[in-house]
Amino acid sequence: MSSYGRMQLLLGSIQTTRAFEYIVGVCNLGRFNPQALSNTVWAYATADMHHPQLFEKVANHIAESDSLDRSDPQALSNIVWAYATAGINHPRLFEKVANHIAESDGLGRFNSQNLSNIVWAYATANVRHPKLFEKVANHIAGLETWIDSSSKSFQFSMGVCYCSSSSSRAVSESCRGCHPT
């Protein structure tokens, strides 16, 4: 690696550390909008940067918030994906997000990638939430087409989290090819 490359890496590391210290030092994360928090944990997980204090602070903020109504499907998807990718299972965070999705009016705002990432995150984090998976399964069963380049991954995740403990024919049938019962 060139000295310029090493300098860029060092500067990136310093900037990342400063961002981490700033966010952890902020007393009230309410100053951040949901997309900013989502992007932050997504970036740290994607870069494989482990900052447990940052993840804990963001998770506690989300879990303690009154509502997730300001969070769009992409933000919700990115949040749980980031925690699963980072190997951080924060039960209250996963419960809060799952309850919000399960109690929402519908999943029409969620695209196939959002739903795939959410289901994958819960499977990866080994978090069970039957109401969430029932809602996702019923939504997908009602679609005329399901366009997703990772449909086998989605089916497997649904199978891991849902098929073995449910009598839902729609999900069980869709999982059969990748998750033997």
Side-chain angles (χ1 to χ4, degrees):
M1 177 183 287
S2 70
S3 34
Y4 177 75
R6 282 192 295 275
M7 184 176 76
Q8 289 296 94
L9 187 60
L10 176 62
L11 287 174
S13 177
I14 290 169
Q15 289 172 336
T16 301
T17 300
R18 284 186 182 154
F20 158 72
E21 289 170 352
Y22 175 76
I23 294 167
V24 169
V26 171
C27 292
N28 180 1
L29 291 182
R31 295 173 33 192
F32 293 86
N33 67 39
Q35 190 66 48
L37 292 174
S38 166
N39 290 349
T40 300
V41 293
W42 177 88
Y44 276 85
T46 300
D48 198 23
M49 299 194 74
H50 301 283
H51 288 292
Q53 288 176 301
L54 172 86
F55 278 88
E56 183 72 18
K57 183 152 189 167
V58 171
N60 286 338
H61 171 75
I62 293 168
E64 293 165 4
S65 66
D66 292 337
S67 170
L68 295 179
D69 289 341
R70 291 182 33 217
S71 300
D72 67 9
Q74 182 71 47
L76 296 170
S77 169
N78 285 352
I79 289 167
V80 293
W81 179 91
Y83 280 81
T85 298
I88 299 171
N89 185 343
H90 192 285
R92 290 186 314 126
L93 168 75
F94 279 93
E95 182 75 14
K96 178 81 171 198
V97 172
N99 285 341
H100 174 76
I101 295 169
E103 294 166 4
S104 66
D105 289 337
L107 298 180
R109 297 181 327 140
F110 289 79
N111 65 34
S112 60
Q113 189 66 53
N114 300 148
L115 293 174
S116 293
N117 287 351
I118 289 166
V119 170
W120 176 88
Y122 281 79
T124 300
N126 198 27
V127 176
R128 305 279 190 260
H129 197 285
K131 288 181 183 177
L132 170 67
F133 290 99
E134 183 78 32
K135 181 134 188 166
V136 171
N138 289 335
H139 174 74
I140 292 169
L143 296 175
E144 289 189 29
T145 60
W146 172 258
I147 302 171
D148 188 283
S149 60
S150 59
S151 63
K152 285 292 184 186
S153 172
F154 174 82
Q155 290 174 356
F156 177 75
S157 297
M158 286 296 285
V160 167
C161 287
Y162 189 74
C163 289
S164 61
S165 64
S166 172
S167 61
S168 173
R169 180 171 302 286
V171 179
S172 296
E173 293 299 321
S174 70
C175 293
R176 191 154 288 144
C178 59
H179 181 69
T181 54

mmCIF file of all heavy atoms in Angstrom, residues 7-52:
data_model
loop_
_atom_site.group_PDB
_atom_site.id
_atom_site.type_symbol
_atom_site.label_atom_id
_atom_site.label_comp_id
_atom_site.label_asym_id
_atom_site.label_seq_id
_atom_site.Cartn_x
_atom_site.Cartn_y
_atom_site.Cartn_z
ATOM 1 N N MET A 7 -2.184 6.939 4.439
ATOM 2 C CA MET A 7 -2.646 8.198 5.013
ATOM 3 C C MET A 7 -4.173 8.299 4.899
ATOM 4 O O MET A 7 -4.849 8.689 5.850
ATOM 5 C CB MET A 7 -1.995 9.382 4.298
ATOM 6 C CG MET A 7 -2.367 10.720 4.930
ATOM 7 S SD MET A 7 -1.527 12.097 4.160
ATOM 8 C CE MET A 7 -2.460 12.241 2.643
ATOM 9 N N GLN A 8 -4.740 7.915 3.754
ATOM 10 C CA GLN A 8 -6.183 7.952 3.560
ATOM 11 C C GLN A 8 -6.871 7.011 4.552
ATOM 12 O O GLN A 8 -7.899 7.338 5.127
ATOM 13 C CB GLN A 8 -6.565 7.576 2.129
ATOM 14 C CG GLN A 8 -6.211 8.629 1.109
ATOM 15 C CD GLN A 8 -6.982 9.900 1.347
ATOM 16 O OE1 GLN A 8 -6.508 10.821 2.010
ATOM 17 N NE2 GLN A 8 -8.185 9.967 0.827
ATOM 18 N N LEU A 9 -6.310 5.828 4.745
ATOM 19 C CA LEU A 9 -6.866 4.854 5.686
ATOM 20 C C LEU A 9 -6.836 5.417 7.101
ATOM 21 O O LEU A 9 -7.815 5.329 7.847
ATOM 22 C CB LEU A 9 -6.084 3.544 5.596
ATOM 23 C CG LEU A 9 -6.618 2.369 6.380
ATOM 24 C CD1 LEU A 9 -8.029 2.013 5.920
ATOM 25 C CD2 LEU A 9 -5.701 1.175 6.196
ATOM 26 N N LEU A 10 -5.707 6.034 7.478
ATOM 27 C CA LEU A 10 -5.579 6.624 8.805
ATOM 28 C C LEU A 10 -6.579 7.759 8.984
ATOM 29 O O LEU A 10 -7.257 7.848 10.006
ATOM 30 C CB LEU A 10 -4.151 7.125 9.030
ATOM 31 C CG LEU A 10 -3.893 7.850 10.355
ATOM 32 C CD1 LEU A 10 -4.157 6.911 11.528
ATOM 33 C CD2 LEU A 10 -2.482 8.385 10.406
ATOM 34 N N LEU A 11 -6.695 8.641 7.982
ATOM 35 C CA LEU A 11 -7.652 9.743 8.072
ATOM 36 C C LEU A 11 -9.078 9.219 8.183
ATOM 37 O O LEU A 11 -9.879 9.742 8.957
ATOM 38 C CB LEU A 11 -7.518 10.683 6.869
ATOM 39 C CG LEU A 11 -6.278 11.572 6.857
ATOM 40 C CD1 LEU A 11 -6.201 12.343 5.550
ATOM 41 C CD2 LEU A 11 -6.250 12.509 8.040
ATOM 42 N N GLY A 12 -9.395 8.179 7.408
ATOM 43 C CA GLY A 12 -10.722 7.569 7.497
ATOM 44 C C GLY A 12 -10.981 7.010 8.882
ATOM 45 O O GLY A 12 -12.057 7.165 9.444
ATOM 46 N N SER A 13 -9.969 6.377 9.453
ATOM 47 C CA SER A 13 -10.092 5.809 10.790
ATOM 48 C C SER A 13 -10.291 6.908 11.827
ATOM 49 O O SER A 13 -11.105 6.779 12.744
ATOM 50 C CB SER A 13 -8.846 4.990 11.123
ATOM 51 O OG SER A 13 -8.920 4.498 12.432
ATOM 52 N N ILE A 14 -9.572 8.010 11.684
ATOM 53 C CA ILE A 14 -9.713 9.130 12.617
ATOM 54 C C ILE A 14 -11.108 9.725 12.500
ATOM 55 O O ILE A 14 -11.768 9.996 13.506
ATOM 56 C CB ILE A 14 -8.627 10.199 12.349
ATOM 57 C CG1 ILE A 14 -7.250 9.654 12.765
ATOM 58 C CG2 ILE A 14 -8.941 11.493 13.101
ATOM 59 C CD1 ILE A 14 -6.091 10.510 12.312
ATOM 60 N N GLN A 15 -11.588 9.917 11.277
ATOM 61 C CA GLN A 15 -12.925 10.473 11.089
ATOM 62 C C GLN A 15 -13.993 9.542 11.649
ATOM 63 O O GLN A 15 -14.953 9.989 12.274
ATOM 64 C CB GLN A 15 -13.181 10.747 9.604
ATOM 65 C CG GLN A 15 -12.368 11.913 9.084
ATOM 66 C CD GLN A 15 -12.463 12.056 7.585
ATOM 67 O OE1 GLN A 15 -12.754 11.103 6.873
ATOM 68 N NE2 GLN A 15 -12.218 13.257 7.100
ATOM 69 N N THR A 16 -13.820 8.249 11.446
ATOM 70 C CA THR A 16 -14.773 7.275 11.961
ATOM 71 C C THR A 16 -14.780 7.288 13.484
ATOM 72 O O THR A 16 -15.833 7.257 14.107
ATOM 73 C CB THR A 16 -14.435 5.864 11.437
ATOM 74 O OG1 THR A 16 -14.468 5.897 10.020
ATOM 75 C CG2 THR A 16 -15.400 4.832 11.951
ATOM 76 N N THR A 17 -13.598 7.372 14.078
ATOM 77 C CA THR A 17 -13.495 7.417 15.533
ATOM 78 C C THR A 17 -14.141 8.692 16.069
ATOM 79 O O THR A 17 -14.859 8.659 17.067
ATOM 80 C CB THR A 17 -12.022 7.331 15.975
ATOM 81 O OG1 THR A 17 -11.489 6.098 15.496
ATOM 82 C CG2 THR A 17 -11.882 7.395 17.486
ATOM 83 N N ARG A 18 -13.922 9.814 15.395
ATOM 84 C CA ARG A 18 -14.544 11.067 15.829
ATOM 85 C C ARG A 18 -16.064 10.990 15.731
ATOM 86 O O ARG A 18 -16.768 11.463 16.622
ATOM 87 C CB ARG A 18 -14.017 12.234 15.000
ATOM 88 C CG ARG A 18 -12.635 12.657 15.395
ATOM 89 C CD ARG A 18 -12.222 13.904 14.655
ATOM 90 N NE ARG A 18 -10.870 14.255 15.028
ATOM 91 C CZ ARG A 18 -10.057 14.932 14.253
ATOM 92 N NH1 ARG A 18 -10.463 15.348 13.057
ATOM 93 N NH2 ARG A 18 -8.844 15.212 14.656
ATOM 94 N N ALA A 19 -16.568 10.411 14.662
ATOM 95 C CA ALA A 19 -18.020 10.269 14.510
ATOM 96 C C ALA A 19 -18.573 9.407 15.632
ATOM 97 O O ALA A 19 -19.594 9.735 16.242
ATOM 98 C CB ALA A 19 -18.359 9.663 13.146
ATOM 99 N N PHE A 20 -17.891 8.295 15.912
ATOM 100 C CA PHE A 20 -18.307 7.402 16.991
ATOM 101 C C PHE A 20 -18.341 8.145 18.324
ATOM 102 O O PHE A 20 -19.319 8.094 19.059
ATOM 103 C CB PHE A 20 -17.355 6.204 17.058
ATOM 104 C CG PHE A 20 -17.335 5.496 18.373
ATOM 105 C CD1 PHE A 20 -18.403 4.714 18.765
ATOM 106 C CD2 PHE A 20 -16.263 5.624 19.236
ATOM 107 C CE1 PHE A 20 -18.402 4.048 19.979
ATOM 108 C CE2 PHE A 20 -16.247 4.981 20.454
ATOM 109 C CZ PHE A 20 -17.311 4.191 20.824
ATOM 110 N N GLU A 21 -17.246 8.868 18.631
ATOM 111 C CA GLU A 21 -17.166 9.591 19.899
ATOM 112 C C GLU A 21 -18.247 10.668 19.998
ATOM 113 O O GLU A 21 -18.820 10.882 21.060
ATOM 114 C CB GLU A 21 -15.776 10.206 20.068
ATOM 115 C CG GLU A 21 -14.705 9.154 20.321
ATOM 116 C CD GLU A 21 -13.292 9.711 20.239
ATOM 117 O OE1 GLU A 21 -13.110 10.890 19.844
ATOM 118 O OE2 GLU A 21 -12.357 8.950 20.558
ATOM 119 N N TYR A 22 -18.539 11.325 18.889
ATOM 120 C CA TYR A 22 -19.576 12.362 18.888
ATOM 121 C C TYR A 22 -20.943 11.746 19.187
ATOM 122 O O TYR A 22 -21.667 12.232 20.052
ATOM 123 C CB TYR A 22 -19.609 13.099 17.547
ATOM 124 C CG TYR A 22 -20.746 14.091 17.474
ATOM 125 C CD1 TYR A 22 -20.670 15.311 18.137
ATOM 126 C CD2 TYR A 22 -21.912 13.790 16.788
ATOM 127 C CE1 TYR A 22 -21.719 16.219 18.105
ATOM 128 C CE2 TYR A 22 -22.965 14.693 16.749
ATOM 129 C CZ TYR A 22 -22.863 15.897 17.409
ATOM 130 O OH TYR A 22 -23.911 16.779 17.382
ATOM 131 N N ILE A 23 -21.289 10.691 18.471
ATOM 132 C CA ILE A 23 -22.610 10.082 18.636
ATOM 133 C C ILE A 23 -22.773 9.513 20.041
ATOM 134 O O ILE A 23 -23.794 9.717 20.689
ATOM 135 C CB ILE A 23 -22.859 9.008 17.563
ATOM 136 C CG1 ILE A 23 -22.939 9.678 16.182
ATOM 137 C CG2 ILE A 23 -24.143 8.229 17.852
ATOM 138 C CD1 ILE A 23 -22.879 8.702 15.032
ATOM 139 N N VAL A 24 -21.758 8.820 20.536
ATOM 140 C CA VAL A 24 -21.842 8.237 21.877
ATOM 141 C C VAL A 24 -21.903 9.342 22.928
ATOM 142 O O VAL A 24 -22.578 9.207 23.947
ATOM 143 C CB VAL A 24 -20.660 7.271 22.128
ATOM 144 C CG1 VAL A 24 -20.579 6.865 23.585
ATOM 145 C CG2 VAL A 24 -20.807 6.038 21.253
ATOM 146 N N GLY A 25 -21.256 10.481 22.662
ATOM 147 C CA GLY A 25 -21.241 11.580 23.614
ATOM 148 C C GLY A 25 -22.504 12.416 23.636
ATOM 149 O O GLY A 25 -22.754 13.156 24.581
ATOM 150 N N VAL A 26 -23.324 12.303 22.608
ATOM 151 C CA VAL A 26 -24.569 13.076 22.556
ATOM 152 C C VAL A 26 -25.533 12.505 23.583
ATOM 153 O O VAL A 26 -25.784 11.297 23.618
ATOM 154 C CB VAL A 26 -25.187 13.023 21.133
ATOM 155 C CG1 VAL A 26 -26.574 13.632 21.124
ATOM 156 C CG2 VAL A 26 -24.283 13.722 20.139
ATOM 157 N N CYS A 27 -26.048 13.376 24.426
ATOM 158 C CA CYS A 27 -26.958 12.916 25.480
ATOM 159 C C CYS A 27 -28.298 12.458 24.924
ATOM 160 O O CYS A 27 -28.867 11.488 25.391
ATOM 161 C CB CYS A 27 -27.185 14.026 26.500
ATOM 162 S SG CYS A 27 -25.711 14.395 27.448
ATOM 163 N N ASN A 28 -28.805 13.156 23.928
ATOM 164 C CA ASN A 28 -30.130 12.848 23.410
ATOM 165 C C ASN A 28 -30.048 12.598 21.908
ATOM 166 O O ASN A 28 -29.840 13.538 21.139
ATOM 167 C CB ASN A 28 -31.077 14.011 23.716
ATOM 168 C CG ASN A 28 -32.479 13.761 23.215
ATOM 169 O OD1 ASN A 28 -32.784 12.707 22.654
ATOM 170 N ND2 ASN A 28 -33.346 14.732 23.411
ATOM 171 N N LEU A 29 -30.224 11.359 21.517
ATOM 172 C CA LEU A 29 -30.171 11.033 20.087
ATOM 173 C C LEU A 29 -31.422 11.492 19.351
ATOM 174 O O LEU A 29 -31.517 11.325 18.144
ATOM 175 C CB LEU A 29 -29.959 9.530 19.879
ATOM 176 C CG LEU A 29 -28.590 9.007 20.287
ATOM 177 C CD1 LEU A 29 -28.492 7.509 19.996
ATOM 178 C CD2 LEU A 29 -27.465 9.743 19.614
ATOM 179 N N GLY A 30 -32.364 12.095 20.059
ATOM 180 C CA GLY A 30 -33.560 12.633 19.424
ATOM 181 C C GLY A 30 -33.238 13.720 18.414
ATOM 182 O O GLY A 30 -34.056 14.039 17.559
ATOM 183 N N ARG A 31 -32.043 14.268 18.500
ATOM 184 C CA ARG A 31 -31.610 15.276 17.530
ATOM 185 C C ARG A 31 -31.358 14.661 16.158
ATOM 186 O O ARG A 31 -31.290 15.362 15.169
ATOM 187 C CB ARG A 31 -30.324 15.950 18.021
ATOM 188 C CG ARG A 31 -30.530 16.736 19.288
ATOM 189 C CD ARG A 31 -29.263 17.280 19.893
ATOM 190 N NE ARG A 31 -28.243 17.651 18.925
ATOM 191 C CZ ARG A 31 -26.989 17.925 19.239
ATOM 192 N NH1 ARG A 31 -26.610 17.883 20.497
ATOM 193 N NH2 ARG A 31 -26.113 18.252 18.326
ATOM 194 N N PHE A 32 -31.198 13.349 16.116
ATOM 195 C CA PHE A 32 -30.943 12.648 14.863
ATOM 196 C C PHE A 32 -32.263 12.126 14.313
ATOM 197 O O PHE A 32 -33.060 11.571 15.058
ATOM 198 C CB PHE A 32 -30.005 11.457 15.077
ATOM 199 C CG PHE A 32 -28.612 11.845 15.459
ATOM 200 C CD1 PHE A 32 -28.285 12.083 16.785
ATOM 201 C CD2 PHE A 32 -27.625 11.971 14.490
ATOM 202 C CE1 PHE A 32 -26.994 12.428 17.143
ATOM 203 C CE2 PHE A 32 -26.345 12.316 14.838
ATOM 204 C CZ PHE A 32 -26.022 12.548 16.170
ATOM 205 N N ASN A 33 -32.468 12.236 13.017
ATOM 206 C CA ASN A 33 -33.677 11.640 12.448
ATOM 207 C C ASN A 33 -33.444 10.138 12.269
ATOM 208 O O ASN A 33 -32.296 9.670 12.283
ATOM 209 C CB ASN A 33 -34.094 12.348 11.152
ATOM 210 C CG ASN A 33 -33.128 12.144 10.008
ATOM 211 O OD1 ASN A 33 -32.572 11.064 9.817
ATOM 212 N ND2 ASN A 33 -32.919 13.176 9.221
ATOM 213 N N PRO A 34 -34.512 9.368 12.129
ATOM 214 C CA PRO A 34 -34.372 7.907 12.025
ATOM 215 C C PRO A 34 -33.449 7.469 10.881
ATOM 216 O O PRO A 34 -32.693 6.510 11.023
ATOM 217 C CB PRO A 34 -35.798 7.424 11.788
ATOM 218 C CG PRO A 34 -36.665 8.489 12.373
ATOM 219 C CD PRO A 34 -35.920 9.777 12.142
ATOM 220 N N GLN A 35 -33.489 8.176 9.765
ATOM 221 C CA GLN A 35 -32.638 7.796 8.634
ATOM 222 C C GLN A 35 -31.161 7.969 8.983
ATOM 223 O O GLN A 35 -30.333 7.151 8.619
ATOM 224 C CB GLN A 35 -32.992 8.631 7.397
ATOM 225 C CG GLN A 35 -32.321 8.137 6.131
ATOM 226 C CD GLN A 35 -32.805 6.762 5.709
ATOM 227 O OE1 GLN A 35 -33.997 6.508 5.673
ATOM 228 N NE2 GLN A 35 -31.881 5.863 5.409
ATOM 229 N N ALA A 36 -30.822 9.028 9.728
ATOM 230 C CA ALA A 36 -29.432 9.254 10.120
ATOM 231 C C ALA A 36 -28.941 8.140 11.039
ATOM 232 O O ALA A 36 -27.810 7.641 10.882
ATOM 233 C CB ALA A 36 -29.286 10.616 10.798
ATOM 234 N N LEU A 37 -29.771 7.739 11.989
ATOM 235 C CA LEU A 37 -29.378 6.642 12.885
ATOM 236 C C LEU A 37 -29.244 5.337 12.105
ATOM 237 O O LEU A 37 -28.294 4.573 12.310
ATOM 238 C CB LEU A 37 -30.401 6.491 14.016
ATOM 239 C CG LEU A 37 -30.448 7.647 15.010
ATOM 240 C CD1 LEU A 37 -31.595 7.452 15.992
ATOM 241 C CD2 LEU A 37 -29.123 7.805 15.738
ATOM 242 N N SER A 38 -30.178 5.098 11.202
ATOM 243 C CA SER A 38 -30.135 3.903 10.364
ATOM 244 C C SER A 38 -28.861 3.882 9.533
ATOM 245 O O SER A 38 -28.159 2.868 9.470
ATOM 246 C CB SER A 38 -31.368 3.878 9.459
ATOM 247 O OG SER A 38 -31.226 2.935 8.435
ATOM 248 N N ASN A 39 -28.563 4.992 8.882
ATOM 249 C CA ASN A 39 -27.366 5.075 8.044
ATOM 250 C C ASN A 39 -26.097 4.880 8.868
ATOM 251 O O ASN A 39 -25.135 4.268 8.397
ATOM 252 C CB ASN A 39 -27.299 6.423 7.327
ATOM 253 C CG ASN A 39 -28.348 6.564 6.248
ATOM 254 O OD1 ASN A 39 -29.005 5.612 5.866
ATOM 255 N ND2 ASN A 39 -28.524 7.782 5.777
ATOM 256 N N THR A 40 -26.094 5.395 10.084
ATOM 257 C CA THR A 40 -24.905 5.282 10.934
ATOM 258 C C THR A 40 -24.623 3.832 11.301
ATOM 259 O O THR A 40 -23.505 3.346 11.102
ATOM 260 C CB THR A 40 -25.074 6.138 12.208
ATOM 261 O OG1 THR A 40 -25.266 7.504 11.816
ATOM 262 C CG2 THR A 40 -23.870 6.020 13.108
ATOM 263 N N VAL A 41 -25.625 3.123 11.832
ATOM 264 C CA VAL A 41 -25.356 1.727 12.227
ATOM 265 C C VAL A 41 -25.106 0.859 11.000
ATOM 266 O O VAL A 41 -24.292 -0.065 11.036
ATOM 267 C CB VAL A 41 -26.462 1.144 13.140
ATOM 268 C CG1 VAL A 41 -26.467 1.850 14.491
ATOM 269 C CG2 VAL A 41 -27.822 1.170 12.502
ATOM 270 N N TRP A 42 -25.784 1.174 9.882
ATOM 271 C CA TRP A 42 -25.544 0.433 8.641
ATOM 272 C C TRP A 42 -24.093 0.611 8.202
ATOM 273 O O TRP A 42 -23.427 -0.352 7.822
ATOM 274 C CB TRP A 42 -26.500 0.912 7.540
ATOM 275 C CG TRP A 42 -26.251 0.250 6.228
ATOM 276 C CD1 TRP A 42 -26.793 -0.921 5.788
ATOM 277 C CD2 TRP A 42 -25.393 0.710 5.175
ATOM 278 N NE1 TRP A 42 -26.314 -1.211 4.524
ATOM 279 C CE2 TRP A 42 -25.458 -0.227 4.135
ATOM 280 C CE3 TRP A 42 -24.577 1.833 5.030
ATOM 281 C CZ2 TRP A 42 -24.725 -0.080 2.956
ATOM 282 C CZ3 TRP A 42 -23.848 1.977 3.861
ATOM 283 C CH2 TRP A 42 -23.934 1.017 2.838
ATOM 284 N N ALA A 43 -23.588 1.840 8.238
ATOM 285 C CA ALA A 43 -22.218 2.120 7.806
ATOM 286 C C ALA A 43 -21.203 1.398 8.689
ATOM 287 O O ALA A 43 -20.241 0.795 8.185
ATOM 288 C CB ALA A 43 -21.963 3.622 7.820
ATOM 289 N N TYR A 44 -21.406 1.434 9.998
ATOM 290 C CA TYR A 44 -20.476 0.753 10.896
ATOM 291 C C TYR A 44 -20.515 -0.761 10.674
ATOM 292 O O TYR A 44 -19.476 -1.424 10.655
ATOM 293 C CB TYR A 44 -20.771 1.096 12.357
ATOM 294 C CG TYR A 44 -20.114 2.398 12.786
ATOM 295 C CD1 TYR A 44 -20.728 3.613 12.560
ATOM 296 C CD2 TYR A 44 -18.869 2.397 13.407
ATOM 297 C CE1 TYR A 44 -20.132 4.803 12.938
ATOM 298 C CE2 TYR A 44 -18.260 3.571 13.794
ATOM 299 C CZ TYR A 44 -18.887 4.779 13.551
ATOM 300 O OH TYR A 44 -18.285 5.949 13.915
ATOM 301 N N ALA A 45 -21.692 -1.326 10.491
ATOM 302 C CA ALA A 45 -21.791 -2.774 10.252
ATOM 303 C C ALA A 45 -21.167 -3.140 8.910
ATOM 304 O O ALA A 45 -20.445 -4.146 8.805
ATOM 305 C CB ALA A 45 -23.251 -3.222 10.308
ATOM 306 N N THR A 46 -21.436 -2.349 7.884
ATOM 307 C CA THR A 46 -20.904 -2.615 6.555
ATOM 308 C C THR A 46 -19.382 -2.545 6.558
ATOM 309 O O THR A 46 -18.713 -3.344 5.895
ATOM 310 C CB THR A 46 -21.486 -1.617 5.531
ATOM 311 O OG1 THR A 46 -22.910 -1.771 5.524
ATOM 312 C CG2 THR A 46 -20.955 -1.859 4.138
ATOM 313 N N ALA A 47 -18.821 -1.598 7.298
ATOM 314 C CA ALA A 47 -17.368 -1.439 7.379
ATOM 315 C C ALA A 47 -16.738 -2.410 8.379
ATOM 316 O O ALA A 47 -15.531 -2.400 8.571
ATOM 317 C CB ALA A 47 -17.029 -0.004 7.767
ATOM 318 N N ASP A 48 -17.567 -3.249 9.007
ATOM 319 C CA ASP A 48 -17.111 -4.221 9.997
ATOM 320 C C ASP A 48 -16.350 -3.535 11.135
ATOM 321 O O ASP A 48 -15.328 -4.012 11.599
ATOM 322 C CB ASP A 48 -16.254 -5.305 9.338
ATOM 323 C CG ASP A 48 -16.118 -6.544 10.191
ATOM 324 O OD1 ASP A 48 -16.986 -6.771 11.059
ATOM 325 O OD2 ASP A 48 -15.127 -7.291 10.013
ATOM 326 N N MET A 49 -16.870 -2.380 11.547
ATOM 327 C CA MET A 49 -16.259 -1.618 12.638
ATOM 328 C C MET A 49 -17.079 -1.867 13.897
ATOM 329 O O MET A 49 -18.264 -1.548 13.948
ATOM 330 C CB MET A 49 -16.223 -0.136 12.292
ATOM 331 C CG MET A 49 -15.400 0.133 11.051
ATOM 332 S SD MET A 49 -15.005 1.849 10.860
ATOM 333 C CE MET A 49 -13.751 2.024 12.114
ATOM 334 N N HIS A 50 -16.437 -2.434 14.886
ATOM 335 C CA HIS A 50 -17.124 -2.817 16.109
ATOM 336 C C HIS A 50 -17.015 -1.707 17.153
ATOM 337 O O HIS A 50 -15.934 -1.402 17.630
ATOM 338 C CB HIS A 50 -16.559 -4.134 16.648
ATOM 339 C CG HIS A 50 -16.700 -5.240 15.665
ATOM 340 N ND1 HIS A 50 -17.896 -5.879 15.454
ATOM 341 C CD2 HIS A 50 -15.822 -5.796 14.800
ATOM 342 C CE1 HIS A 50 -17.748 -6.791 14.508
ATOM 343 N NE2 HIS A 50 -16.498 -6.751 14.100
ATOM 344 N N HIS A 51 -18.151 -1.118 17.458
ATOM 345 C CA HIS A 51 -18.249 -0.089 18.488
ATOM 346 C C HIS A 51 -19.487 -0.405 19.326
ATOM 347 O O HIS A 51 -20.557 0.159 19.110
ATOM 348 C CB HIS A 51 -18.347 1.303 17.872
ATOM 349 C CG HIS A 51 -17.073 1.785 17.276
ATOM 350 N ND1 HIS A 51 -15.978 2.091 18.040
ATOM 351 C CD2 HIS A 51 -16.710 1.992 15.990
ATOM 352 C CE1 HIS A 51 -14.993 2.481 17.247
ATOM 353 N NE2 HIS A 51 -15.410 2.421 15.998
ATOM 354 N N PRO A 52 -19.347 -1.331 20.268
ATOM 355 C CA PRO A 52 -20.503 -1.755 21.068
ATOM 356 C C PRO A 52 -21.243 -0.605 21.742
ATOM 357 O O PRO A 52 -22.468 -0.636 21.830
ATOM 358 C CB PRO A 52 -19.898 -2.704 22.112
ATOM 359 C CG PRO A 52 -18.618 -3.166 21.513
ATOM 360 C CD PRO A 52 -18.126 -2.045 20.648
#
